């Protein structure tokens, strides 16, 4: 029986720690708000945005919501971000992705001041993380490190295989595991012999973006399996990139979907916001 890593519980612990920290900072005159920008009315994005605002309220920081119409011009969004970059009260700026096709995401991400880049997507934040300097770390990978550490799973010296090399999950994940002294292999759609490579992993981190793709043929007996994927199956039930029922019996620990990695992303976003308030 594998340890089921409880992301809901661990994220709640983190938010409670942050709530205390925010109260302390307030007592020392340090406050601030997260600005959340949504362009359009994509229902999934609306849920994420609402959860972020609720998390701000829970830990005791402000949130400013900017709900812009789908047809907002790139120029207008850049103008808003420029204003928020200089607004003292705003300590973090988050632009909910994906953006409508007529807006260049890279341009928008690069327009956010690295001092307020609480998503950790700005090239300066990514560069700082790569060379181990101070800066905001991308929330989902940072959350996975917390899941492992708080579940007392040793990382140093372990073979870690990351499936996926996206800029928001796979690449930063591999870098953070390297920082934690794992021996890291990154795999992607052009990787040959994926099951054999995955079978070498003591810690297998799956961010392939394909529902229930990874079964027991990819997992070594006793491996720790982290499932980053979020999808809806044919019955509209949430599922991950991993066939949980097949993999759980052979893993030593595994994250469920929902309730694994998902809740950690918002907790780490809050952590970045608090770090930003503290740094000012
Ligand atoms: P993505 O941008 O689609 O990247 C998927 C990666 O998987 C790519 O690097 C791709 O390789 C690789 N891949 C695709 N098919 C493969 C195959 N057959 N064999 C090996 N590698 C393959 O996805 P993402 O943004 O990283 O997200 C991954 C998953 O995590 C999605 O389900 C997403 O919804 C979820 N997610 C969850 C959270 C959370 O908070 N829990 C946050 C972010 C994302 P190439 O680079 O060669 O194309």
């Amino acid at each position: 029986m594998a340890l089921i890593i409880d992301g809901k519980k661990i994220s709640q612990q983190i938010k409670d720690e942050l709530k205390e920290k925010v109260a302390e900072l307030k007592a020392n005159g340090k406050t601030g708000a997260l600005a959340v920008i949504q362009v359009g009315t994509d229902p999934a994005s609306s849920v994420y945005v609402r959860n972020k605002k609720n998390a701000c309220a829970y830990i005791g920081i402000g949130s400013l919501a900017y709900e812009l119409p789908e047809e907002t011009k790139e120029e207008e969004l850049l103008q808003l971000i420029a204003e928020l970059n200089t607004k003292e009260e705003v300590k973090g700026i988050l632009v909910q992705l994906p953006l409508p096709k007529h807006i260049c995401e890279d341009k928008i991400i690069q327009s956010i001041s690295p001092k307020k880049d609480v998503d950790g997507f700005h090239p300066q934040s990514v560069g700082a993380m790569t060379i181990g300097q101070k800066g905001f770390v991308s929330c989902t990978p940072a959350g996975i490190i917390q899941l492992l550490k708080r579940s007392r799973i040793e990382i140093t010296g372990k073979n870690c295989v990351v499936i996926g090399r996206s800029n928001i999950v796979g690449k930063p994940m591999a870098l953070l595991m390297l920082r934690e002294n794992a021996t890291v292999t990154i795999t992607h759609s052009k990787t040959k012999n994926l099951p054999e490579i995955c079978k070498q992993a003591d810690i297998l981190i799956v961010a392939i973006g394909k529902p229930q793709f990874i079964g027991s043929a990819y997992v070594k007996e006793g491996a720790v399996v982290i499932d980053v994927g979020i999808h809806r199956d044919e019955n509209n039930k949430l599922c991950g990139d991993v066939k949980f029922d097949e993999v759980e019996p052979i893993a030593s620990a595994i994250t469920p979907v929902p309730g694994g990695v998902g809740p950690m992303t918002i907790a780490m976003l809050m952590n970045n916001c608090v770090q930003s308030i503290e740094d000012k």
Side-chain angles (χ1 to χ4, degrees):
M1 273 282 280
L3 165 74
I4 310 295
I5 300 174
D6 189 344
K8 246 177 131 173
K9 188 165 143 201
I10 296 172
S11 69
Q12 188 59 47
Q13 279 166 0
I14 292 173
K15 283 189 282 181
D16 286 337
E17 290 163 16
L18 291 171
K19 192 175 182 169
E20 271 182 36
K21 181 112 205 183
V22 167
E24 252 172 56
L25 289 169
K26 251 185 206 156
N28 292 316
K30 289 188 167 188
T31 59
L34 168 68
V36 183
I37 306 172
Q38 183 182 0
V39 184
T41 53
D42 172 59
S45 290
S46 300
V47 172
Y48 289 132
V49 165
R50 192 170 61 236
N51 290 344
K52 285 165 188 173
K53 286 192 260 180
N54 289 344
C56 287
Y58 183 81
I59 68 162
I61 66 173
S63 66
L64 303 170
Y66 296 87
E67 285 154 19
L68 309 180
E70 182 84 23
E71 57 277 11
T72 301
K73 294 198 178 78
E74 186 177 274
E75 240 354 275
E76 292 170 316
L77 184 53
L78 288 168
Q79 178 61 36
L80 171 61
I81 292 170
E83 282 163 25
L84 295 172
N85 278 340
T86 59
K87 215 170 180 175
E88 182 60 27
E89 173 202 8
V90 172
K91 299 294 196 279
I93 301 172
L94 183 146
V95 180
Q96 187 63 44
L97 303 178
L99 288 168
K101 295 222 170 355
H102 65 278
I103 299 178
C104 172
E105 283 186 0
D106 283 348
K107 210 167 166 184
I108 298 302
I109 289 169
Q110 285 175 37
S111 74
I112 297 172
S113 162
K115 288 189 174 149
K116 301 188 179 187
D117 172 41
V118 285
D119 250 343
F121 293 163
H122 191 286
Q124 190 171 311
S125 307
V126 177
M129 180 189 59
T130 306
I131 58 174
Q133 288 186 355
K134 194 172 159 56
F136 294 114
V137 174
S138 173
C139 301
T140 302
I144 291 169
I145 298 289
Q146 285 301 312
L147 281 181
L148 294 169
K149 286 190 170 176
R150 289 173 185 247
S151 304
R152 301 190 194 292
I153 291 166
E154 180 72 37
I155 304 176
T156 296
K158 294 292 165 69
N159 285 335
C160 172
V161 174
V162 180
I163 313 182
R165 56 173 167 181
S166 71
N167 289 338
I168 62 164
V169 187
K171 277 186 205 142
M173 189 70 247
L175 284 165
L176 290 185
M177 290 301 279
L178 184 63
R179 195 197 262 186
E180 297 295 333
N181 300 311
T183 303
V184 183
T185 305
I186 307 175
T187 65
H188 47 78
S189 66
K190 307 289 183 293
T191 297
K192 295 203 167 70
N193 306 327
L194 188 65
E196 288 96 292
I197 293 170
C198 293
K199 276 230 172 206
Q200 309 283 316
D202 302 309
I203 303 175
L204 179 64
I205 302 179
V206 187
I208 192 170
K210 291 191 186 320
Q212 306 193 57
F213 189 90
I214 299 298
S216 54
Y218 293 77
V219 180
K220 177 172 82 173
E221 183 88 38
V224 173
V225 179
I226 304 292
D227 187 353
V228 189
I230 314 179
H231 314 274
R232 295 232 170 237
D233 69 10
E234 60 279 7
N235 303 315
N236 206 31
K237 253 184 78 188
L238 285 173
C239 69
D241 288 346
V242 174
K243 289 177 185 150
F244 184 89
D245 293 344
E246 192 178 305
V247 170
E248 186 268 336
I250 53 172
S252 62
I254 186 166
T255 57
V257 179
V261 174
M264 295 301 292
T265 301
I266 290 190
M268 299 318 288
L269 172 69
M270 294 301 111
N271 185 63
N272 282 350
C273 291
V274 173
Q275 185 189 316
S276 183
I277 293 170
E278 200 173 10
D279 286 349
K280 289 285 158 74

